[in-house]
């Protein structure tokens, strides 16, 4: 029988927890849908330092497979000050660790979906299991069925349910029925007596009718944003010098004056031919991250641990499923340099932007390259929009642009808070 939560750390669960942003309960209540999968809060905690303490303690559990007892030790002072009951402490721990585990498990199962396309709901059959969860035990649906958008566990506080994957051959050999319709009234079986219990209509607890795994992975899937929708919000330029913060121009050495060791060379073969098919350019981009097919995907971690999506959706219009309308003549040849801008940015900036009237946090990556004595540059932009990372644009130099125009363009990208820069000395 499965136990909850399995205290076995794995990278996908770590990635999920690393993507969670700390917000107050008031801010959390304003979020909807998948945005909540990107947010962490605790009812009754309004101070950000206390929320950060709990967030960090759960992070240690996810990272290292720590137990409830370890979690209690890490937040003992806070528990005592707040007078939390053992039940509440365990609920906070179980909910969050199980969500991280199941989100990570979802990412793993999706990678295996071609070979194991059937998913089976598994409830822990004991006296603590809710009848509405017990009623779902053993149900088998294909992985893309809408059932999993609502019933993928956890489906309530301290839910211990899980999901296992199956191949078509296993489904047939074990005589499982693959469901087509959403569950209606179901008579769960009492695990102690084997008798049927009163019929129930399965439904997740309030606030749990979503798929934490799908919400998370969609949160790292870029979505198209029109450039006209993006309006940077005026802000100071703030940089870290190792001792504190200082503002304005001293923290922005002109790109034109950079030491050449901060300018990556462009070797023969780094630029692709013009006029190739978009698929060729995209495969080249993905290959820079070790992906061997158009359907490959990974999560790339920037300095500081921020996870960003790497997959073909960076270049696909989700509405039409076609390649984005873009000038492949200008962008395509620079796919390798675009990937290296993400892998080795010279600077990472965070700035508040406004998209469709809503303030969002944006990340900008900047890098300079040198080709035959001519500096060329690139940048990438991601926006945290409704709790989801959305790619906005990737700049690559147009043939008619002068080096001066390229540098001026990149200089305008260098605003907000400097999160990272290569050491200048």
């Amino acid at each position: 029988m499965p136990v909850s939560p399995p205290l076995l750390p794995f990278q996908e669960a770590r990635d999920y927890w690393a993507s969670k942003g700390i917000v107050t309960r008031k801010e959390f209540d304003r979020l909807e849908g998948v945005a909540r999968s990107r947010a962490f809060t605790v009812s009754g905690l309004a101070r950000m330092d206390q929320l950060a303490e709990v967030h960090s303690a759960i992070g240690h559990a996810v990272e290292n497979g720590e137990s409830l007892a370890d979690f209690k030790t890490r937040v003992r002072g806070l528990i005592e000050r707040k007078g939390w009951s053992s039940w509440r402490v365990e609920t906070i721990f179980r909910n969050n660790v199980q969500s991280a585990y199941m989100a990570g498990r979802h990412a793993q199962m999706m990678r295996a979906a071609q070979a194991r396309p059937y998913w089976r709901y598994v409830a822990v059959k004991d006296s603590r299991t809710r009848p509405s969860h017990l009623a779902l035990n053993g149900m088998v649906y294909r992985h893309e069925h809408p059932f999993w958008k609502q019933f993928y566990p956890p489906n309530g506080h301290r839910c211990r349910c899980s999901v296992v994957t199956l191949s078509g051959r296993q489904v047939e050999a074990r005589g499982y029925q693959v469901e087509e319709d959403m569950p209606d009234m179901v008579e769960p079986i009492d695990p102690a007596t084997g008798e049927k219990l009163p019929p129930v209509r399965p439904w997740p607890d309030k606030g749990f009718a979503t798929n934490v795994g799908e919400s998370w992975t969609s949160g790292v899937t870029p979505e198209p944003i029109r450039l006209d929708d993006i309006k940077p919000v005026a802000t100071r330029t703030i940089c870290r010098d190792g001792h504190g913060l200082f503002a304005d121009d001293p923290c922005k050495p002109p790109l034109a004056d950079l030491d050449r060791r901060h300018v990556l060379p462009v070797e023969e073969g780094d630029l692709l031919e013009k006029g190739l098919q978009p698929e060729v350019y995209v495969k080249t981009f993905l290959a820079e991250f070790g992906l061997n097919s158009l359907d490959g995907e990974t999560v790339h971690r920037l300095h500081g641990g921020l996870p960003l999506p790497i997959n073909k959706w960076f270049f696909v219009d989700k509405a039409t499923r076609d390649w984005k309308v873009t000038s492949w003549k200008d962008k395509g040849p620079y796919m390798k340099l675009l990937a290296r801008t993400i892998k080795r940015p010279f600077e990472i900036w965070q700035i508040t932007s406004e998209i469709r009237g809503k303030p969002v946090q944006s990340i900008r990556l900047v890098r300079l390259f040198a080709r035959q004595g001519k500096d060329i540059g690139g940048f990438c932009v991601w926006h945290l929009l409704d709790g989801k990372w959305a790619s906005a644009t990737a700049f690559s130099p147009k043939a008619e642009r002068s080096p001066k125009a390229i540098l001026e363009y990149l200089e305008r990208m260098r605003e907000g808070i400097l999160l990272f820069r290569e050491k200048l000395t």
Side-chain angles (χ1 to χ4, degrees):
M1 287 298 170
V3 294
S4 175
L7 297 175
L8 299 173
F10 55 95
Q11 190 58 49
E12 290 84 356
R14 297 184 184 110
D15 289 340
Y16 169 81
W17 194 252
S19 74
K20 302 276 273 188
I22 302 172
V23 299
T24 65
R25 183 68 202 195
K26 185 176 181 180
E27 293 169 327
F28 184 84
D29 288 340
R30 291 200 297 263
L31 299 176
E32 297 180 359
V34 298
R36 290 196 172 197
S37 73
R38 286 287 178 179
F40 169 81
T41 196
V42 177
S43 296
L45 292 185
R47 286 172 43 182
M48 294 300 288
D49 61 329
Q50 293 176 341
L51 287 166
E53 182 180 350
V54 179
H55 182 275
S56 175
I58 294 172
H60 280 285
V62 174
E63 179 74 22
N64 304 309
E66 293 183 353
S67 67
L68 173 61
D70 296 321
F71 174 72
K72 288 181 176 179
T73 298
R74 289 186 181 279
V75 295
R76 178 177 293 133
L78 184 60
I79 294 172
E80 293 173 351
R81 291 195 300 275
K82 291 293 181 179
W84 285 345
S85 66
S86 295
W87 187 92
R88 184 175 187 197
V89 174
E90 184 172 353
T91 297
I92 292 171
F93 177 78
R94 299 289 183 194
N95 283 0
N96 286 286
V97 174
Q98 183 72 345
S99 292
Y101 175 83
M102 291 307 298
R105 177 77 177 129
H106 187 274
Q108 292 179 333
M109 294 192 303
M110 286 301 295
R111 286 201 297 269
Q114 184 172 353
R116 304 175 69 84
Y118 300 98
W119 293 0
R120 185 171 187 260
Y121 194 101
V122 180
V124 178
K125 296 189 293 183
D126 61 20
S127 60
R128 295 167 51 197
T129 304
R130 280 153 280 199
S132 60
H133 294 205
L134 193 60
L136 297 172
N137 182 60
M139 287 192 171
V140 177
Y141 289 87
R142 284 189 61 88
H143 71 279
E144 72 271 24
H145 194 281
F147 171 85
W148 298 112
K149 293 183 182 295
Q150 294 180 338
F151 291 98
Y152 185 83
N155 283 314
H157 293 294
R158 304 169 78 165
C159 173
R160 298 170 295 153
C161 298
S162 60
V163 180
V164 297
T165 64
L166 299 161
S167 67
R169 182 177 297 178
Q170 288 174 318
V171 169
E172 183 177 356
R174 299 175 190 181
Y176 292 151
Q177 176 182 335
V178 179
E179 306 289 344
E180 297 290 343
D181 299 325
M182 297 291 282
D184 193 8
M185 298 300 291
V186 180
E187 294 179 319
I189 304 299
D190 188 314
T193 66
E195 298 178 353
K196 291 184 177 181
L197 296 173
V200 297
R201 177 174 282 109
W203 194 255
D205 294 354
K206 183 179 179 181
F208 286 86
T210 186
N211 182 327
V212 65
E214 187 175 81
S215 298
W216 172 50
T217 53
S218 68
V220 294
T221 299
E223 291 192 343
I225 299 176
R226 294 188 307 117
L227 294 182
D228 292 344
D229 289 336
I230 305 170
K231 297 179 181 179
V233 177
T235 183
R236 291 191 311 159
T237 299
I238 302 175
C239 302
R240 294 173 171 84
D241 65 353
H243 304 286
L245 301 178
F246 60 94
D248 303 320
D249 288 342
C251 73
K252 291 205 305 181
L255 294 176
D257 298 336
L258 284 183
D259 187 288
R260 303 308 292 177
R261 63 192 176 89
H262 298 295
V263 182
L264 298 185
V266 178
E267 307 290 350
E268 184 177 353
D270 285 344
L271 298 184
L272 304 181
E273 297 179 14
K274 295 182 179 181
L276 301 178
Q277 292 298 312
E279 291 88 344
V280 176
Y281 292 131
V282 175
K283 282 184 178 180
T284 300
F285 172 82
L286 296 176
E288 290 289 307
F289 296 91
L291 302 174
N292 299 319
S293 74
L294 282 175
D295 294 322
E297 60 182 342
T298 187
V299 175
H300 174 71
R301 287 183 171 276
L302 296 176
H303 297 271
L306 178 68
L308 289 180
I310 302 297
N311 52 39
K312 70 179 180 182
W313 294 102
F314 194 86
F315 308 98
V316 174
D317 186 322
K318 277 196 168 181
T320 65
R321 300 283 170 162
D322 294 327
W323 298 115
K324 289 181 180 178
V325 178
T326 185
S327 177
W328 289 100
K329 178 183 68 175
D330 294 326
K331 180 181 295 186
Y334 298 95
M335 283 292 125
K336 290 186 179 181
L337 305 192
L338 171 59
R340 291 169 196 177
T341 299
I342 299 171
K343 293 168 66 176
R344 292 186 57 188
F346 169 64
E347 292 175 336
I348 302 175
W349 294 84
Q350 178 180 335
I351 185 173
T352 300
S353 299
E354 192 174 88
I355 299 181
R356 304 166 193 148
K358 180 182 296 186
V360 299
Q361 293 302 308
S362 301
I363 299 294
R364 295 175 175 176
L365 317 179
V366 176
R367 169 56 77 183
L368 274 181
F369 300 89
R371 177 195 177 204
Q372 298 175 350
K374 175 182 177 181
D375 286 346
I376 56 179
F379 79 86
C380 299
V381 180
W382 270 270
H383 301 291
L384 189 59
L385 178 63
D386 291 333
K388 302 167 67 176
W389 282 114
S391 65
T393 187
F395 167 76
S396 53
K398 293 184 178 180
E400 66 272 15
R401 263 199 180 113
S402 68
K404 179 181 178 182
I406 290 171
L407 291 175
E408 289 176 348
Y409 195 97
L410 289 182
E411 289 288 4
R412 292 197 293 273
M413 296 296 103
R414 304 170 73 206
E415 57 182 345
I417 301 174
L418 180 64
L419 300 181
F420 166 81
R421 174 190 287 146
E422 287 183 345
K423 291 184 178 180
L424 296 177
T425 57

